[in-house]
Amino acid sequence: MSWLQDPVTIQCLYIVAFALFIYGLMGLTGPRTAVRGNMLAAVGMAIAILATALTPGMGNWWLILLGVVLGTAIGIPAARKVKMTAMPQMVALFNGVGGGAVALVAWVEFRQTHGFAGEPAHVSIATLFAALIGSVSFWGSNVAFGKLQEILPGRPISVGRLQQPLNLLLLVLGVACGVAVVAGGTSEWLMIGILVSSALLGLMVVLPIGGADMPVVISLLNALTGLSAAATGIALDNTALIVAGMIVGASGTILTNLMAKAMNRSIPAIVAGGFGGTGGPSSSGPTDKIVRQTSASDAAIQMSYARQVVVVPGYGMAVAQAQHAVREMAKELESKGVAVYYAIHPVAGRMPGHMNVLLAEADVPYEHLKEMDEINGEFSRTDVALVIGANDVTNPAAHTDPGSPIYGMPILNVNESKSVIVLKRSMSPGFAGVDNDLYYDPRTSMLFGDAKKSVSAVVEELRAL
Amino acid sequence: MSWLQDPVTIQCLYIVAFALFIYGLMGLTGPRTAVRGNMLAAVGMAIAILATALTPGMGNWWLILLGVVLGTAIGIPAARKVKMTAMPQMVALFNGVGGGAVALVAWVEFRQTHGFAGEPAHVSIATLFAALIGSVSFWGSNVAFGKLQEILPGRPISVGRLQQPLNLLLLVLGVACGVAVVAGGTSEWLMIGILVSSALLGLMVVLPIGGADMPVVISLLNALTGLSAAATGIALDNTALIVAGMIVGASGTILTNLMAKAMNRSIPAIVAGGFGGTGGPSSSGPTDKIVRQTSASDAAIQMSYARQVVVVPGYGMAVAQAQHAVREMAKELESKGVAVYYAIHPVAGRMPGHMNVLLAEADVPYEHLKEMDEINGEFSRTDVALVIGANDVTNPAAHTDPGSPIYGMPILNVNESKSVIVLKRSMSPGFAGVDNDLYYDPRTSMLFGDAKKSVSAVVEELRAL
Amino acid sequence: MLVQNLAILVLAGFVGFAVISKVPNTLHTPLMSGTNAIHGIVLLGALIVLGLGATGTLDQILLVIAIAFGTINVVGGFLVTDRMLGMFKAKEPRE
Amino acid sequence: MLVQNLAILVLAGFVGFAVISKVPNTLHTPLMSGTNAIHGIVLLGALIVLGLGATGTLDQILLVIAIAFGTINVVGGFLVTDRMLGMFKAKEPRE
Amino acid sequence: MADTQNIVVGVPRESAPGERRVALVPRVVGRLRSAGLNIVVEPGAGGGALMSDWLYEEAGATLGDPWACDVVVKVAAPTDEEIGRLKPGSVLIGFLGTNVADALATRDVHGLAMEAIPRISRAQAMDALSSQSSVAGYLAALLGAQHLTRFYPMLTTAAGTVPPAKVLVLGAGVAGLQALATARRLGAQTTGYDVRPEVAEQVRSVGAKWLDLGIEAVGDGGYARALTDEERAEQLKRLNEAVIGYDVVITTAQVPGRKAPVLVTEDSVTAMRAGSVVVDLAGESGGNCELSVPGEAVVRHDVTIVAPLNLPAAMPESASELYSRNVQALLELLIADGRLKLDFDDEIIASACVTRRS
Amino acid sequence: MADTQNIVVGVPRESAPGERRVALVPRVVGRLRSAGLNIVVEPGAGGGALMSDWLYEEAGATLGDPWACDVVVKVAAPTDEEIGRLKPGSVLIGFLGTNVADALATRDVHGLAMEAIPRISRAQAMDALSSQSSVAGYLAALLGAQHLTRFYPMLTTAAGTVPPAKVLVLGAGVAGLQALATARRLGAQTTGYDVRPEVAEQVRSVGAKWLDLGIEAVGDGGYARALTDEERAEQLKRLNEAVIGYDVVITTAQVPGRKAPVLVTEDSVTAMRAGSVVVDLAGESGGNCELSVPGEAVVRHDVTIVAPLNLPAAMPESASELYSRNVQALLELLIADGRLKLDFDDEIIASACVTRRS
Ligand SMILES: NC(=O)c1ccc[n+]([C@@H]2O[C@H](COP(=O)([O-])OP(=O)(O)OC[C@H]3O[C@@H](n4cnc5c(N)ncnc54)[C@H](OP(=O)(O)O)[C@@H]3O)[C@@H](O)[C@H]2O)c1
Ligand SMILES: NC(=O)c1ccc[n+]([C@@H]2O[C@H](COP(=O)([O-])OP(=O)(O)OC[C@H]3O[C@@H](n4cnc5c(N)ncnc54)[C@H](OP(=O)(O)O)[C@@H]3O)[C@@H](O)[C@H]2O)c1
Ligand SMILES: NC(=O)c1ccc[n+]([C@@H]2O[C@H](COP(=O)([O-])OP(=O)(O)OC[C@H]3O[C@@H](n4cnc5c(N)ncnc54)[C@H](O)[C@@H]3O)[C@@H](O)[C@H]2O)c1
Ligand SMILES: NC(=O)c1ccc[n+]([C@@H]2O[C@H](COP(=O)([O-])OP(=O)(O)OC[C@H]3O[C@@H](n4cnc5c(N)ncnc54)[C@H](O)[C@@H]3O)[C@@H](O)[C@H]2O)c1
């Protein structure tokens, strides 16, 4: 293999490349540095590709060009045109083709070396591992894409109680073919056996998983693709591949864990879903209307990047006795240069002046309390309206629905602000007992839970930013 | 070099060893995992040594044994007997001998290869780098040890305005000798030139640094020793050395930075001190009595490991309006299972009931407020008494000094608790205008700064634990 | 050779673990997408195998596909990540 | 060989950087001491050079000293760290 | 609304003894003026609330006879003599009570009773019961502090520690909640009790504890129903025990249209610590305490029992201001297209009108 | 201390009009009993504070003639008649004022004046001026709330928003600080003013703003000195401007041994908003407000001016309890080895004794 004799420069370029990957990845973990992190990683990739192109003895330039042009022609428009809401499936697709590339390279390797004749064991093992994982990733990702894109039905599809034994069988089959190859088998059917059984395995594992768990599954497949890339690197003795692949494998695993935790799911439970367990579908209200949930950290980021946040307290803040936490949150935001006001509705709470008493207890300066008439003009200039345990006083039905018991009551026009975050424990109605359409507004997201706990969680996230 | 042909197992053992180092280091960054982290790193070290011993062709066993026995005989008692207060100089000493070992190995390498005749350039460069840095580290660390152990005078010693040019000269001399060797020079005097000039450099840089900055300097030298070890690893093509050395080099650099930041010093400023700048000595009161300073994070750790904390608020808490932050801190501690009480002295503050009003505003439950008579019996059972802006009401002179204007006033016996942390802005006295001996008690440590800022910092540290 | 690659593998794993500690939820998807783009490095494998003279039409076709796949992964990955991160970019200075 | 060692060096550096993020002040000294013990690994260098047949009395004396130094660094380093960490060990259960 | 100039609103001086409130304050007069109404204020109308005539004039009102106006706004119910001065076809607004409907109808005057406005969301701005109850609740907590021979807040001083006072509020409606919140601000330890169980959460939401006696009596429209005899006996028994530990007991329990229930018996008072206080806000409807003397503060068994009448009148400016805004909101409902028009299809007007039923 | 049985302490019933306090409360009687003293209480002594005789008996006191005892403890200064009943050689403790020294000396009675105890750290437990000032400050804030025709706290309600009241305290000594803290608890926006500049920090430490008029007058022993005529004119000019914006002005300014300085002039009052309140705690020494009528609440220019006399007596139990503890601390200083002994080398006793100088 001639590329072993490559000049030190190429290897050094590889080192530079993976250093950029790592540095970029570090950046991607913080909101302030994420954009630059992604850029740096992209530069690293360019350097790695350049270094490879420099490798003495490279040929087949036209074919290479063909592939690159093809890939670019497909990749760029796909990435450019996809809607923001369709991002997750796009990531799934990109991940899938990566896995596919790994599997294909492994297959060709097998063919070129006539079944790894004369190659050391670690080369064949690594290549076969790459083939198996790459293939699982390819097909699994495609199913995930199909489900999210609603080409395939989003609900779990499973063959029932046979699921688990079947999956196991496929895995054993693939591994058996691999063992046969390492033991000296050179028949291409063995290789095809690996590819096919792992393809089926990828399909079978992902099909029974519900749409809500898809992001976690995609992340898992992403980590797997990383591992398969690292295996390819071992086989080809290519440092850049090893490092980049392994970093993705490791960080992807951690990330999968974090995502599952943030969604209150466990990875085994999700994958077990693929083995016949229950993969609960994404919860939505009794009606068809869609409710968007958010998390404390998302709320924290959203607010910390806002210029003006208006807090709308209501009876729920009083019940949760969240006033001190709210004040703390406001202080954190103010220290980040965000302007924070409190919109006090005349009948928020359950007694005249209820909000005043509580906010005064928490030492909120009187100047920050805004009366309804004063603040209603401000909402259109507000980036985030944070509704804390208020309900009726924000209900647009008071304006729009003459049949509603609250029709005619003046309300806080929170729905005029750029986005609304509502903190309450459930979808249950407030004092007047009527549903609130605000919660189904596309600009609204809900942070469910006790107001004090939620606000405290937001405070912690703000501090961590 | 025969060890190139070593079996894969030895290399794998090295990998296991450095994996343990890394894992152990991760543990060392958290209070909960630190002890285990250190153990794991030690196990890693044992594995690395074992692997080396397994290397085929090893000989000179008696000499090796001699060295090991010597080292053990000196190291164990030294580590066992040293007083807790003398730990930093002990670390300096251990670091120094590490650097010394590197320098010696480099010297021998030079002699064995007759000036690196026939060795590739990277081997000679790495070895000479190791020699230079190792020697600086050895002599610098010894000076640091001498200063802290008070063998050498603690105050900065410098040769005045010549310091900087002299240091530069020494560095240039050492590097010049190195260049000569790499260029083909084989005279041992060149090597000795490197060792001697870097030894002088080490002495000259550390001598002018004041005692207060020593911990930072030791950490810096520690990082340098790590780098020299990594260089040795490159020269000897030994993975374990490369990885372990480099990790220490990198983490040591970060750590040095953190330490300097925590002490509000900048590394350049400290080292510049060594180049003739000002290395302020550790501040102590106008008298000879010693005041111990602490940091928010130390206070946080101390309290989070306590069973009972008694908060002693005073006028300073009122001035800082720190009551809300105090309440928050108590909540954090309580969530960690620490019992928190408030000791309210009858005349704390400037008006009757001053503390009551403030703590009630912060929603401290009345049951947690303890009167003086009630709490004074509790202090002996208290792990940490946290004195927040109180002064006269804790002054033992009220009991002991009949000449004091506060003689005869009842006080809170905070000095009976296991440790006392005092939050105030300076050493200035309180209402009565008298000095407080409590602050010089060996069990007392001071956290200087505005009470609200200090308490908020403690809260953040508690959250981070 | 192999053992040094192993050392590299282990170290890279630690880097991966250590780098991702506390990531805000909002960054989960961009981060996933970013790492996804990085494993587009498999493109290198395909380039090397084809560039260093894979023969046979089937093999060449497979490799061209692999290169196309890898390119999609790299190009699409970074672009999509960048778009997702748009919300962190559009930060006007605050008064 | 060299370049792979370089790769390892760079990776190890990243590990070192990434591992130390937020360390409470109280742990600064123990952590310094712990890393100090780890660079006691230089002992290996001395062992190898002596073990694999360094000749000459001066060289051997120097190496014995180096081994003793390295051993002190390792043994003393870990022990002292452990003692410093005593405060985190003596944790009785809280009621 | 510029063509509403022809509508004239009259603001008489309140004649009821001790009534210091006024139906419209100068600030609201100004607002109504700019909405196009003419306001006639009786000289001295704002005197009780320390608002002089020239403040009214400054706000655009004219001084004169208010009784001849199209709309007459009052706080308390008018006397017969006053009713006699009303212009036929005019509208009278105020707390009218149950006795004036016939007289008004005879004179062909529409009477709109503020207390009869339904407590629906849309009518909250006109809800004078709530606004005046707020004032009463706040003042009740202060009255307790004033008559108690002890401190509300805990105080640690060189002369020893004073423990915080314990305040119990019986009946946690609007006034009760406000009393709880106010007493807590002053540092008292507060507890609330009511027969409507949903109030428990509201009591906690103002930082007070909830006293659970296990008796529930939910009536219509958010009000309590009267208890059965058995329940009443049971309640009294348990309250007798509970009340003893408190320094201040504030009672606000009302059942619409009935005599106020007795919650604090003589036995309870006897058992309370000397120097304690009972503030009985239900004095007007007979009192929640057996020993109350409406309108007076008496000491019985070393306990001070205060049963103020018309407490909101003790803070006349704020009470009047809130009341004026309630009146303003109602006026806005009455005037359409610049003309005064009582739309009896509107639930609010239909319920509030006392003369239409008769 | 078991052999102190022979010392008898007498607690008379206060004879001054409106004085509801008592020099020893039952709880402190109990403590003194267990320290071995005998206590004789005049029947009805605790009546004003609503503490009945049997509470005293329960605590171990006997009812009888208190004037014949070894030590007589009072709150207010005794009348000539009362002085005549004192046993020669006995000790009288109380707020004695400046007029009784001669009469006491004639009867060979040692008079210890509570108000003359030096304000040194060791004497804090006996500092009745401070303890009674605390009570006064707290009550002054409540008095303001009660007389103000508006709310202290901000209140956003369906009937509009009530802004918070602004409270200004002139003279931020013990009473002033307490008034600031109490008013703030109730939701008012508070500001403090004093001539001693070091008080600024203390004012801020109770959450109030500091009004800086640029006049400093620090006297001895932590008290203020009297201002020069120029300073006084300058102060009044600046205060006149400052006072206008406030709803409640509480004045506590005193200069020891002099008439209280005038801080609020008639002009200021005229300029204040109608319905505002001035609470003048310096009524006893002439008042800080020109229009004060000591002991009364008067309305002038639509502003209520309250100048209570002996405000602590309005919260008799707490005031008496704190005072009793002060007395207890002083008694402990007087009794050594079971015998009553006035050690005139002790700074506290020397300063407090009014009969020794004469
Ligand atoms: N102010 C007055 O004088 C007065 C008097 C009487 C009636 N009212 C009426 O009360 C209503 C006031 O409106 P509002 O918006 O303040 O309150 P609301 O409409 O009653 O809504 C309160 C919301 O808070 C949520 N909540 C309750 N406890 C919570 C907790 N611990 N953590 C988080 N959320 C919690 C509830 O949702 P979940 O259960 O899903 O958490 C509920 O939807 C109006 O309808 C008004 O007419 C007012
Ligand atoms: N309670 C009463 O009724 C009353 C009335 C009058 C007088 N006094 C007297 O006041 C004293 C009360 O004792 P105390 O212990 O409460 O207070 P203190 O003895 O006056 O001490 C207060 C301490 O707080 C510190 N401090 C001030 N501002 C601070 C800030 N922003 N952050 C942190 N620390 C701050 C000061 O030290 P730094 O400057 O170094 O920060 C000062 O030493 C007693 O002597 C008592 O006799 C009490
Ligand atoms: N819809 C609205 O916007 C609106 C507006 C104002 C008030 N309200 C509601 O109306 C309700 C009544 O308010 P209110 O203050 O005028 O009531 P109220 O004055 O009639 O009675 C006061 C309280 O006494 C309680 N009570 C009656 N009998 C009792 C007994 N035997 N023992 C103990 N407590 C007893 C009642 O439950 C009530 O809470 C409140 O719950 C309030 O929330 C609603
Ligand atoms: N050492 C102790 O332990 C101790 C105990 C209690 C009080 N003190 C101190 O004694 C001081 C006096 O307390 P007090 O309340 O009895 O004082 P006070 O009753 O004599 O006077 C009240 C306040 O009025 C102020 N004043 C006087 N003339 C004024 C003017 N022209 N304009 C504005 N303000 C004027 C005074 O400065 C004082 O603050 C306080 O500072 C207090 O801290 C000390």
Side-chain angles (χ1 to χ4, degrees), chain F residues 77-78 83 86 90-106 108-118 330 334 342 344 346-358:
Chain F
I83 293 176
L86 284 166
S90 65
V91 175
L92 175 69
I93 295 173
F95 285 119
L96 300 182
T98 44
N99 305 324
V100 297
D102 293 340
L104 289 176
T106 317
D108 193 19
V109 170
H110 274 305
L112 296 179
M114 291 300 284
E115 75 271 26
I117 287 175
L330 181 59
L334 298 182
L342 267 60
F344 290 107
D346 186 319
E347 182 189 358
I348 297 175
I349 297 177
S351 315
C353 187
V354 290
T355 45
R356 197 158 159 264
R357 294 161 232 156
S358 58

Side-chain angles (χ1 to χ4, degrees), chain F residues 252-264:
Chain F
T252 78
Q254 308 256 18
V255 181
R258 292 173 157 265
K259 198 181 160 309
V262 169
L263 300 178
V264 183

Side-chain angles (χ1 to χ4, degrees), chain A residues 10-287:
Chain A
I10 291 178
Q11 292 294 324
C12 285
L13 283 177
Y14 280 158
I15 291 175
V16 171
F18 75 63
L20 284 170
F21 290 159
I22 297 172
Y23 199 66
L25 212 55
M26 284 173 167
L28 271 169
T29 62
R32 239 167 268 279
T33 48
V35 174
R36 214 189 39 166
N38 187 50
M39 301 276 186
L40 286 177
V43 170
M45 187 61 74
I47 292 175
I49 293 172
L50 187 84
T52 309
L54 287 178
T55 309
M58 282 293 275
N60 277 338
W61 287 109
W62 288 112
L63 287 175
I64 288 176
L65 207 64
L66 179 64
V68 169
V69 167
L70 259 176
T72 313
I74 299 171
I76 291 185
R80 278 266 169 81
K81 291 210 192 101
V82 60
K83 267 182 275 153
M84 280 309 262
T85 50
M87 286 293 178
Q89 50 263 49
M90 207 27 75
V91 174
L93 203 63
F94 293 156
N95 178 52
V97 292
V102 168
L104 290 176
V105 171
W107 189 6
V108 174
E109 280 265 287
F110 180 94
R111 291 170 54 88
Q112 295 280 318
T113 57
H114 308 293
F116 305 117
E119 297 285 335
H122 75 262
V123 169
S124 59
I125 292 175
T127 310
L128 294 171
F129 176 82
L132 196 144
I133 299 290
S135 177
V136 167
S137 179
F138 179 69
W139 294 102
S141 298
N142 277 322
V143 172
F145 169 78
K147 285 200 165 207
L148 289 176
Q149 193 68 12
E150 286 166 23
I151 299 170
L152 295 170
R155 64 188 163 69
I157 304 168
S158 108
V159 298
R161 309 174 68 244
L162 278 178
Q163 189 80 48
Q164 219 160 328
L166 188 64
N167 287 348
L168 208 66
L169 189 76
L170 286 170
L171 186 64
V172 168
L173 203 72
V175 171
C177 292
V179 170
V181 173
V182 174
T186 53
S187 158
E188 190 161 4
W189 290 113
L190 288 172
M191 189 68 192
I192 291 172
I194 292 177
L195 292 174
V196 170
S197 60
S198 54
L200 287 174
L201 187 64
L203 294 175
M204 285 305 187
V205 166
V206 180
L207 270 175
I209 296 177
D213 291 331
M214 267 318 155
V216 179
V217 172
I218 296 173
S219 177
L220 192 64
L221 292 173
N222 182 42
L224 286 180
T225 311
L227 287 181
S228 70
T232 308
I234 294 274
L236 299 182
D237 194 10
N238 181 301
T239 324
L241 270 168
I242 298 177
V243 174
M246 191 60 204
I247 288 172
V248 174
S251 66
T253 312
I254 302 280
L255 182 60
T256 310
N257 238 314
L258 286 180
M259 288 172 82
K261 230 188 265 162
M263 301 172 67
N264 253 328
R265 308 276 288 139
S266 87
I267 300 177
I270 292 172
V271 179
F275 286 91
T278 51
S282 157
S283 68
S284 68
T287 59

Side-chain angles (χ1 to χ4, degrees), chain F residues 43-358:
Chain F
L50 300 183
M51 293 178 294
S52 60
D53 291 340
W54 69 264
L55 282 175
Y56 280 97
E57 290 185 297
E58 212 179 33
T62 41
L63 299 179
D65 175 16
W67 296 101
C69 299
D70 306 312
V71 183
V72 176
V73 292
K74 272 192 79 356
V75 179
T79 60
D80 287 341
E81 189 266 321
E82 286 169 342
I83 293 176
R85 295 166 64 187
L86 284 166
K87 190 172 80 174
S90 65
V91 175
L92 175 69
I93 295 173
F95 285 119
L96 300 182
T98 44
N99 305 324
V100 297
D102 293 340
L104 289 176
T106 317
R107 281 201 62 83
D108 193 19
V109 170
H110 274 305
L112 296 179
M114 291 300 284
E115 75 271 26
I117 287 175
R119 292 183 124 171
I120 56 176
S121 291
R122 187 162 62 90
Q124 281 172 322
M126 311 162 202
D127 184 356
L129 278 183
S130 279
S131 70
Q132 304 304 300
S133 290
S134 286
V135 176
Y138 167 76
L139 287 174
L142 292 185
L143 265 185
Q146 185 194 335
H147 284 281
L148 185 65
T149 56
R150 307 185 275 277
F151 273 110
Y152 262 15
M154 181 182 191
L155 230 54
T156 303
T157 77
T161 296
V162 182
K166 289 186 178 167
V167 174
L168 173 65
V169 170
L170 302 177
V174 177
L177 287 175
Q178 198 73 3
L180 282 170
T182 306
R184 187 173 132 92
R185 292 186 101 160
L186 271 173
Q189 290 191 307
T190 51
T191 308
Y193 166 71
D194 203 297
V195 282
R196 292 179 297 130
E198 75 266 31
V199 177
E201 195 188 50
Q202 299 176 16
V203 161
R204 293 200 190 93
S205 82
V206 291
K209 271 186 245 155
W210 172 246
L211 180 66
D212 193 352
L213 298 186
I215 296 167
E216 301 188 1
V218 187
D220 295 329
Y223 293 102
R225 66 165 167 77
L227 299 180
T228 65
D229 284 350
E230 263 172 48
E231 284 173 334
R232 199 167 316 143
E234 183 66 22
Q235 184 187 38
L236 270 185
K237 201 182 121 233
R238 300 199 192 158
L239 269 178
N240 271 352
E241 290 161 17
V243 158
I244 294 173
Y246 293 90
D247 300 293
V248 176
V249 177
I250 298 173
T251 67
T252 78
Q254 308 256 18
V255 181
R258 292 173 157 265
K259 198 181 160 309
V262 169
L263 300 178
V264 183
T265 59
E266 174 150 16
D267 283 352
S268 304
V269 173
T270 316
M272 283 172 82
R273 225 182 109 199
S276 299
V277 179
V278 176
V279 180
D280 186 349
L281 287 198
E284 262 140 308
S285 49
N288 292 136
C289 176
E290 250 175 21
L291 301 177
S292 291
V293 180
E296 288 184 34
V298 295
V299 178
R300 297 280 182 273
H301 310 292
D302 287 338
V303 170
T304 309
I305 297 154
V306 203
L309 292 177
N310 196 5
L311 195 46
M315 198 164 70
E317 185 178 328
S318 283
S320 303
E321 169 137 9
L322 296 175
Y323 184 76
S324 305
R325 302 266 207 116
N326 296 141
V327 169
Q328 181 194 353
L330 181 59
L331 282 176
E332 279 162 7
L333 196 70
L334 298 182
I335 296 172
D337 306 326
R339 314 188 62 249
L340 193 65
K341 184 173 168 301
L342 267 60
D343 171 10
F344 290 107
D345 291 339
D346 186 319
E347 182 189 358
I348 297 175
I349 297 177
S351 315
C353 187
V354 290
T355 45
R356 197 158 159 264
R357 294 161 232 156
S358 58

Side-chain angles (χ1 to χ4, degrees), chain A residues 3 38 52 59-60 76 79-80 82 95 98 102 111-112 222 237 246 250 254 295 297-298 304-305 307 336, chain C residues 5 9 13 17 25-26 35-36 39 42 44 50-52 55 59-60 73 75 78 83 91-92 94-95:
Chain A
W3 43 267
N38 187 50
T52 309
N60 277 338
I76 291 185
R80 278 266 169 81
V82 60
N95 178 52
V102 168
R111 291 170 54 88
Q112 295 280 318
N222 182 42
D237 194 10
M246 191 60 204
I254 302 280
S295 68
S297 68
D298 288 338
S304 69
Y305 281 86
R307 213 155 326 153
K336 293 189 195 305
Chain C
N5 281 342
L9 196 74
F17 275 115
N25 288 7
T26 331
T35 54
N36 171 45
H39 71 51
V42 295
L44 261 59
L50 181 57
L52 297 182
T55 50
D59 285 11
Q60 290 191 341
N73 190 348
V75 174
F78 283 115
R83 277 193 58 198
K91 229 190 315 165
E92 299 115 281
R94 278 190 224 108
E95 58 275 63

